[in-house]
Amino acid sequence: MAYLMLYGSGWTQRWQIPSGEEATVLSEIARIGRDETGRLSVVDSQTGATVTLMVAWAAVATAVIVDSDSAPPHAGATGQYA
């Protein structure tokens, strides 16, 4: 299971990525800062249903995919989620 973290000016969002969609999300986040709109499949945290998230990439400052693997971080891990 992995999560998409989106950060903009004054806001943060976290979305669960449906199994098998990680590569699609990874290719979409390469559009950050562009005057484009993207469409991503994510999981609604309230219902568990897969939904479509529309993203205005110009409003996104940065994004990261965080793997929720329960294994301990490796010795060289860095960042808030290490």
Side-chain angles (χ1 to χ4, degrees):
M1 181 181 334
Y3 290 89
L4 170 64
M5 304 290 293
L6 297 172
Y7 301 90
S9 180
W11 59 271
T12 303
Q13 293 185 356
R14 182 183 82 154
W15 295 93
Q16 183 181 341
I17 301 170
S19 181
E21 292 290 322
E22 296 85 358
T24 301
V25 172
L26 185 60
S27 69
E28 277 291 309
I29 65 174
R31 299 166 66 183
I32 290 173
R34 296 183 188 170
D35 191 20
E36 300 176 6
T37 303
R39 172 178 267 156
L40 299 171
S41 291
V42 295
V43 177
D44 181 334
S45 64
Q46 299 299 310
T47 65
T50 300
V51 296
T52 300
L53 174 68
M54 298 297 292
V55 180
W57 290 116
V60 179
T62 191
V64 64
I65 295 175
V66 179
D67 187 359
S68 66
D69 185 356
S70 60
H74 58 83
T78 61
Q80 181 176 356
Y81 296 98

